[in-house]
Amino acid sequence: MVQLTDSLSGPVSLVDIADDYSTASPTTYEKNQIVRVCIKGLDVPNKRIHFSTRPSKTLSSSLPVEDREINAVSDLRIDDVVRGFVKNVADNGLFVSLAYNVTAFVRVSDLSDLFLKDWKSEFEIDRLVKGKVIQVDKDLKHVQMSLKRSHIDKDYQPPLTLEDITVGQVVTGKVRKVETFGVFIVIDNSANISGLCHKSQMADRKLPDPKKLYDEGDAVKAKILKIDRDTRRISLGLKASFFRPEIDTDGGEEEMMERLIGGDGSDEDSEVGKIKDMLAEDMDEALDGWEGLEDVDDEESDTDMENAEEGGVSVKAALREDGNMQGLAAGGFDWTGGISLTNAGDSSSDTDAQASQPKRKKRRKAEPQIDLTGNLDAHGPQSVADFERLLLGRPNESGLWVRYMAFQLELSEVDKAREIAERALRTIHIREQDEKLNMWMALLNLENAYGTEEALDNAFARACQYCDSLDIHMRLASTLIQSGKHEKAEALYIKALSKLGSESDTLWLNVATFYLTTLNQPSKAHALLPRALQSLPKHTHLQLTSHFAALEFKSPNGDAERGRTMFEGILGSFPKRLDIWSILIDLETNKGGKDRARGLFERVTKVKGVKAGKMKKWFQKWERWEKANGDERNQGRVGKVAEAYVRRVAEEKGKEVEV
């Protein structure tokens, strides 16, 4: 209620508070607060004024309007989709306020596509609803609406029925009830259809009590395994292997972790390799821990035998010589109580004799209470509680966080694995940059395998802000290549070259390898070298050119002759670079050109200006190479060439040079 003077005031309806009904709330205003209003309507006979606080009316008409203003019934047309607030809940339907002077009626049959048993509890006064106008009577000023999604949403699909569901179909749902033998799941977008997932179908490995893993209301993804249409029963499966058949889940947690923290193609000396080794050691310790469990079982069995003997009933005495001792029946319960029916009289006399003797109380040994918390690392975390307990002591360890993610992925809980990654990024200390980098790569690999392209792009943009942008670009490109998304990897490489091409020669070499080896497009790979030489500093040109030349030898799609030409160009400018000569010789040797390699060795001996010490090592290398790849005749020729080199140098300098 807004007051203008002592005798003049008027209300502001919910539909006139804001241009976006989602933000319309009377609680944003306080009593005696000064507000700017616009007069919406005058009711002179009843002496009433209606105000509006819409910003588009009080501030500027150019402001965006989410919910258009309705002044009369004539502003509405059939099939218009509008929003309004519930004004009244009656027995025959709802009354929805579209304006201060326009009210629409919604019949009970038009409230929902689904059956609502207690529909009144679903709708409260002042609740915001969205509906479609299905009837307008301008003369009677009557408006009728429908709130059915089938009328509002063009892409609406009717609720699934039992006939629509097929074996092998993947669905989403909510956990309705959790039992020790499994969980009941209500399928989303269905006519209240639910099924049972037995605990044997929850994961690819044995799991503890389902009550420790799932709660009522948890969102899950399941696969239809079996349908009994006569009894209307559905069997569901939650195993990760049902949804990702190309991923081998037999490897368990360790295989899943390698897929999460891999993706950069790095070798074992990298930080990722160290984490893998560390996690492998944890798994070995977990296997060693099972040996202790066998000892515990033996001790418990021995204790039970001792307790039985101390209780006055000896095991040996129980095995009677007359053979009348009976075992349990096949059904698991002996209705005779272990008493032979043929000796009922003897049994009753024995019972009377025992009744006259004083009963001796059984004594039990106090069982020690063992705290297994300290052995949690040895046995390995087996539940959410175990992981949470370990993370309290090791919050900065990315390997543990990745194990936690892999554990959730084995349960098909992709959303929970994503939440764990986000939580790890918030928890790990800012100084632990390597640990944070591992978590960013785990999140990117997760989004690449299970998420959408939009989610992957958002995660990638965030990772570039917090980590080295060049490193993230190359790691993600490697992940995309390994997952077969070559077009996206190429787009990422092109983007990286335009932004970061002047910072790293490795980036150019990776892109060339991608074009030449993965895509088999030599023309694109060859066009990269001139661009790289223009972008990079001059001191990197020699090394980069030699790497491009070596790529022609190593790639299955490369041209070795082109590589030789590139090396000849380098050696023509830098003939004293024995390291370049060595690279070319190794490449020729691996390619099978031993005669070419032998000729390169001899060519170096004719290069002028090489120091005697370096040339001595060169002849020694040549001799070792001949021992591995040549024969005695070629080995002897190395000595002759060395002697000729010594004589030539001695003649040039006028003194002997010892080689």
Side-chain angles (χ1 to χ4, degrees):
M1 184 69 70
V2 177
Q3 184 175 2
L4 297 182
T5 64
D6 294 339
S7 59
L8 188 60
S9 61
V12 179
S13 302
L14 278 175
V15 293
D16 295 320
I17 290 180
D19 292 310
D20 186 357
Y21 290 168
S22 301
T23 61
S25 176
T27 58
T28 58
Y29 298 96
E30 299 178 357
K31 188 177 180 181
N32 298 327
Q33 178 182 350
I34 299 177
V35 295
R36 182 189 296 267
V37 296
C38 173
I39 298 177
K40 182 74 177 293
L42 294 174
D43 189 356
V44 178
N46 296 319
K47 297 181 180 181
R48 289 183 179 179
I49 303 177
H50 294 276
F51 297 107
S52 174
T53 58
R54 284 176 174 254
S56 60
K57 289 291 185 182
T58 59
L59 297 178
S60 174
S61 59
S62 61
L63 293 175
V65 178
E66 180 69 21
D67 297 282
R68 65 186 180 92
E69 186 180 25
I70 299 173
N71 297 315
V73 177
S74 59
D75 295 339
L76 296 173
R77 300 289 186 274
I78 295 178
D79 293 338
D80 284 351
V81 177
V82 294
R83 294 199 297 178
F85 296 92
V86 176
K87 187 177 182 180
N88 186 25
V89 181
D91 293 336
N92 58 342
L94 299 179
F95 291 91
V96 179
S97 176
L98 303 180
Y100 79 93
N101 58 345
V102 178
T103 302
F105 175 66
V106 183
R107 296 181 302 179
V108 177
S109 58
D110 293 327
L111 292 177
S112 175
D113 293 287
L114 303 176
F115 172 73
L116 300 178
K117 185 177 181 180
D118 186 13
W119 65 270
K120 288 187 178 181
S121 61
E122 300 289 334
F123 299 94
E124 298 178 353
I125 295 178
D126 294 339
R127 175 185 170 181
L128 179 63
V129 294
K130 183 178 181 180
K132 184 177 183 179
V133 178
I134 59 176
Q135 185 177 351
V136 177
D137 191 337
K138 298 180 181 179
D139 297 333
L140 299 177
K141 296 183 179 181
H142 287 175
V143 180
Q144 188 172 333
M145 291 177 55
S146 173
L147 304 184
K148 289 184 176 181
R149 286 188 55 195
S150 58
H151 291 166
I152 302 172
D153 190 359
K154 296 180 180 179
D155 299 329
Y156 171 77
Q157 296 180 354
L160 296 175
T161 61
L162 190 62
E163 288 72 20
D164 299 329
I165 299 176
T166 58
V167 175
Q169 182 178 353
V170 177
V171 296
T172 59
K174 301 291 189 301
V175 175
R176 179 172 62 86
K177 192 175 182 180
V178 184
E179 299 290 350
T180 56
F181 55 83
V183 294
F184 291 93
I185 301 171
V186 179
I187 299 176
D188 291 339
N189 301 323
S190 68
N192 199 25
I193 298 176
S194 62
L196 171 65
C197 176
H198 193 266
K199 64 179 181 180
S200 62
Q201 300 296 334
M202 288 184 180
D204 297 285
R205 61 188 181 92
K206 187 176 180 181
L207 293 176
D209 188 358
K211 292 184 177 181
K212 297 180 180 180
L213 300 177
Y214 294 98
D215 295 324
E216 293 184 8
D218 287 351
V220 295
K221 181 169 67 173
K223 184 176 183 178
I224 308 296
L225 302 181
K226 184 180 179 182
I227 300 177
D228 190 343
R229 303 190 185 277
D230 297 333
T231 58
R232 300 184 66 83
R233 292 181 178 178
I234 301 176
S235 298
L236 303 174
L238 298 176
K239 292 182 179 180
S241 57
F242 292 153
F243 314 106
R244 286 283 172 178
E246 68 274 12
I247 295 180
D248 185 11
T249 56
D250 294 338
E253 234 172 66
E254 185 176 1
E255 177 70 17
M256 190 69 72
M257 285 189 299
E258 291 181 359
R259 296 184 178 275
L260 285 175
I261 62 178
D264 61 336
S266 57
D267 42 13
E268 297 178 355
D269 295 334
S270 64
E271 290 295 329
V272 176
K274 294 179 181 178
I275 292 176
K276 293 180 182 178
D277 296 339
M278 177 187 64
L279 296 180
E281 294 176 1
D282 291 343
M283 297 301 292
D284 294 338
E285 294 176 1
L287 294 175
D288 295 338
W290 287 105
E291 299 177 358
L293 293 180
E294 297 176 358
D295 299 335
V296 173
D297 294 338
D298 295 337
E299 293 176 1
E300 291 179 355
S301 61
D302 295 339
T303 304
D304 294 339
M305 295 289 290
E306 294 175 3
N307 293 341
E309 292 179 0
E310 291 179 3
V313 181
S314 175
V315 176
K316 295 180 180 180
L319 301 175
R320 298 181 180 179
E321 296 179 358
D322 55 3
N324 292 329
M325 181 70 178
Q326 295 185 1
L328 286 176
F333 187 81
D334 188 1
W335 292 99
T336 64
I339 302 174
S340 176
L341 296 179
T342 58
N343 298 329
D346 297 338
S347 300
S348 61
S349 62
D350 294 341
T351 304
D352 296 338
Q354 292 178 3
S356 61
Q357 298 178 359
K359 294 183 179 181
R360 184 168 56 183
K361 295 183 178 180
K362 296 181 180 180
R363 293 182 301 172
R364 291 185 178 181
K365 286 186 177 181
E367 297 181 359
Q369 300 294 331
I370 302 175
D371 186 7
L372 299 178
T373 305
N375 297 330
L376 187 59
D377 288 339
H379 301 296
Q382 301 294 324
S383 65
V384 173
D386 293 345
F387 279 104
E388 294 292 343
R389 196 175 306 131
L390 286 176
L391 287 173
L392 289 176
R394 294 182 283 176
N396 294 327
E397 187 175 321
S398 61
L400 184 57
W401 286 103
V402 174
R403 283 180 77 181
Y404 198 2
M405 292 175 62
F407 174 78
Q408 294 291 353
L409 289 178
E410 284 190 340
L411 302 177
S412 303
E413 296 289 352
V414 179
D415 292 336
K416 290 185 178 180
R418 185 180 291 109
E419 293 175 0
I420 291 170
E422 296 288 354
R423 180 179 157 201
L425 293 173
R426 295 192 303 267
T427 304
I428 296 177
H429 198 274
I430 192 174
R431 295 180 180 177
E432 304 291 340
Q433 292 297 322
D434 292 336
E435 306 294 330
K436 279 187 172 291
L437 177 60
N438 291 333
M439 291 312 304
W440 278 115
M441 287 310 305
L443 179 59
L444 291 175
N445 285 319
L446 175 69
E447 297 296 354
N448 178 55
Y450 299 95
T452 61
E453 290 189 5
E454 183 180 359
L456 178 61
D457 293 339
N458 292 336
F460 172 70
R462 293 169 52 207
C464 291
Q465 294 177 355
Y466 292 97
C467 302
D468 180 67
S469 180
L470 177 62
D471 195 7
I472 293 295
H473 275 79
M474 290 194 294
R475 285 171 178 260
L476 180 58
S478 177
T479 299
L480 294 173
I481 294 172
Q482 292 176 10
S483 58
K485 300 179 180 180
H486 296 162
E487 293 183 0
K488 195 169 181 62
E490 182 179 8
L492 182 61
Y493 270 138
I494 293 175
K495 181 180 178 181
L497 290 177
S498 61
K499 290 185 176 181
L500 308 169
S502 61
E503 298 181 9
S504 172
D505 55 348
T506 305
L507 176 61
W508 292 95
L509 184 61
N510 288 348
V511 180
T513 304
F514 170 69
Y515 278 131
L516 192 60
T517 304
T518 305
L519 299 184
N520 192 13
Q521 297 179 357
S523 58
K524 290 186 177 181
H526 298 161
L528 290 175
L529 183 58
R531 293 176 52 194
L533 297 179
Q534 292 178 358
S535 301
L536 295 170
K538 289 185 177 181
H539 68 273
T540 63
H541 291 182
L542 177 60
Q543 182 179 4
L544 181 63
T545 305
S546 62
H547 286 166
F548 267 77
L551 183 61
E552 297 290 345
F553 283 89
K554 296 179 180 179
S555 176
N557 303 319
D559 185 2
E561 192 61 38
R562 178 184 176 87
R564 295 187 186 99
T565 303
M566 296 175 66
F567 272 114
E568 290 295 340
I570 297 173
L571 295 174
S573 302
F574 304 94
K576 298 180 183 179
R577 291 293 301 264
L578 299 185
D579 54 340
I580 305 296
W581 287 98
S582 297
I583 293 175
L584 181 56
I585 289 174
D586 293 339
L587 293 172
E588 292 287 5
T589 303
N590 295 332
K591 201 72 175 178
K594 295 182 179 180
D595 293 337
R596 291 178 179 271
R598 188 174 292 108
L600 293 173
F601 273 112
E602 189 170 354
R603 282 178 58 188
V604 173
T605 62
K606 300 177 182 179
V607 176
K608 297 181 179 181
V610 181
K611 294 182 179 180
K614 291 184 177 181
M615 189 57 68
K616 179 179 179 180
K617 294 180 180 180
W618 183 260
F619 279 111
Q620 292 174 351
K621 180 178 181 179
W622 187 6
E623 186 178 8
R624 291 193 301 269
W625 185 90
E626 289 292 356
K627 290 181 180 179
N629 301 280
D631 50 18
E632 295 182 357
R633 183 178 64 83
N634 290 322
Q635 295 177 17
R637 189 170 183 278
V638 174
K640 295 179 180 179
V641 174
E643 292 176 358
Y645 172 79
V646 171
R647 287 195 299 268
R648 186 177 71 252
V649 172
E651 293 175 357
E652 292 176 357
K653 293 186 176 182
K655 59 180 180 179
E656 292 186 357
V657 177
E658 183 182 0
V659 177

